[in-house]
Amino acid sequence: MKRVDVVVLNWNGWQDTLACLVSLQRQDYPYFNLLVVDNGSTDGSVEEIKQAMPALELLQTGANLGFGGGCNAGIKLTLARGADYVWLINSDATVDPGALSALVRVAEKNPALGAVGSVLYEADQHDRIQLWGGGTVNLWLGRSQHRTSPGPLDFISGASVLLRREVLEEVGLFDQATFFMYWEDTDLGFRLRRAGWQLAVADDSRVWHKQSASLGKRSPVLDAYFTRSGVRFLRRHAPVPSIAIALLLGRMMAKRMLIGSFGRVRAVFKGFLSA
């Protein structure tokens, strides 16, 4: 039986993380290890998690390395210990007891699969699909879209993704130097597909996920990070980056102007300048 190491990244959100961990401990897959990576939290997360679950392994990065950097710290440790698969699951998610078994079952049926995703549901509306595994990217229009029903995928969302060891060894981990937050899972999806690996979704792997729990859906900080990473992604992957970037910025700024959110317009522009 394949060994799976489960990596949960925490940053200033120990309440959500504990709920996530409780659901993970109920998994029916018999051979997995659980690792929490704390990404330089300042809200007492480490103490709270240790107090609630003293036997749990907790790795401290010592600083906020971003999503990719924090996940990479955990992935490197699990690979060094011999994990066959790494399951990344967001700390603001809770999972069905059969979620991991479903992911492994799909992965084991096809050795060409490099990454397998879950079906994500809204945390407050348990039957409403938030994301069917991942999404697609139109590289000409600079537009990333999440799927809510089965169909072709360009990437698997980092909110719940099972990664095969061989993929990580061949293609590499998240590019934390380029993407501090957002688009790092998209970039990894493009890289592994270009290397010949395939993507899939385990439709009976059910996960309930909050969206942008750490920053908030309408946060200017989110807008700045999303824009910066999006511009960097398009520079790397788009056939004509200048067109794709212009269209991305135009859409984002127009949407925020229409609702009168000029602070978020400035955040988008700031993100572009920092890219």
Side-chain angles (χ1 to χ4, degrees):
M1 181 168 287
K2 299 296 185 179
R3 168 180 161 176
V4 181
D5 278 19
V6 185
V7 176
V8 180
L9 180 65
N10 175 79
W11 180 71
N12 290 341
W14 59 268
Q15 296 96 332
D16 283 341
T17 298
L18 286 177
C20 176
L21 295 173
V22 168
S23 70
L24 288 169
Q25 290 177 331
R26 296 171 179 160
Q27 291 301 290
D28 60 16
Y29 190 78
Y31 193 31
F32 76 95
N33 297 302
L34 187 54
L35 172 67
V36 176
V37 179
D38 185 76
N39 216 12
S41 294
T42 56
D43 68 340
S45 281
V46 171
E47 294 74 17
E48 294 286 352
I49 294 171
K50 284 184 175 179
Q51 181 176 352
M53 298 181 176
L56 183 74
E57 183 176 18
L58 197 154
L59 172 66
Q60 298 181 60
T61 63
N64 185 357
L65 304 180
F67 179 81
C71 288
N72 283 351
I75 293 171
K76 290 175 183 177
L77 180 58
T78 62
L79 293 181
R81 293 176 176 176
D84 297 300
Y85 292 97
V86 180
W87 184 23
L88 301 179
I89 182 76
N90 268 21
S91 61
D92 58 354
T94 56
V95 301
D96 181 80
L100 178 53
S101 293
L103 290 169
V104 175
R105 191 159 52 244
V106 170
E108 285 294 284
K109 287 180 180 178
N110 182 359
L113 290 176
V116 182
S118 303
V119 181
L120 274 60
Y121 295 82
E122 297 289 351
D124 55 355
Q125 300 180 54
H126 274 208
D127 293 326
R128 181 178 178 184
I129 293 176
Q130 178 188 101
L131 177 68
W132 193 276
T136 59
V137 182
N138 186 316
L139 293 175
W140 289 97
L141 300 179
R143 174 180 289 167
S144 175
Q145 293 183 305
H146 282 173
R147 281 213 168 272
T148 55
S149 60
L153 293 169
D154 291 332
F155 65 93
I156 299 294
S157 169
S160 176
V161 57
L162 184 76
L163 294 165
R164 193 182 296 271
R165 177 188 187 90
E166 291 82 0
V167 167
L168 296 167
E169 291 176 336
E170 177 186 345
V171 178
L173 281 58
F174 291 122
D175 182 355
Q176 67 189 78
T178 302
F179 307 100
F180 182 80
M181 186 180 296
Y182 301 114
W183 294 83
E184 61 282 291
D185 51 0
T186 313
D187 174 71
L188 181 60
F190 271 68
R191 285 159 44 210
L192 70 86
R193 287 190 306 108
R194 284 177 180 170
W197 294 95
Q198 299 173 15
L199 309 177
V201 177
D203 56 12
D204 51 350
S205 177
R206 293 163 57 88
V207 173
W208 292 273
H209 179 233
K210 297 180 180 179
Q211 293 192 64
S212 303
S214 59
L215 293 177
K217 293 182 184 179
R218 296 174 177 82
S219 165
V221 177
L222 181 156
D223 285 333
Y225 280 129
F226 184 89
T227 305
R228 183 175 73 172
S229 292
V231 170
R232 291 178 175 182
F233 173 87
L234 293 170
R235 283 177 181 160
R236 173 177 291 177
H237 296 285
V240 184
S242 58
I243 294 175
I245 290 169
L247 291 172
L248 170 69
L249 294 175
R251 280 194 309 273
M252 292 186 68
M253 297 179 81
K255 287 179 180 178
R256 286 148 183 80
M257 286 180 181
L258 285 173
I259 61 175
S261 186
F262 296 105
R264 295 180 65 193
V265 173
R266 289 192 293 272
V268 170
F269 188 63
K270 180 180 177 182
F272 168 69
L273 292 178
S274 66

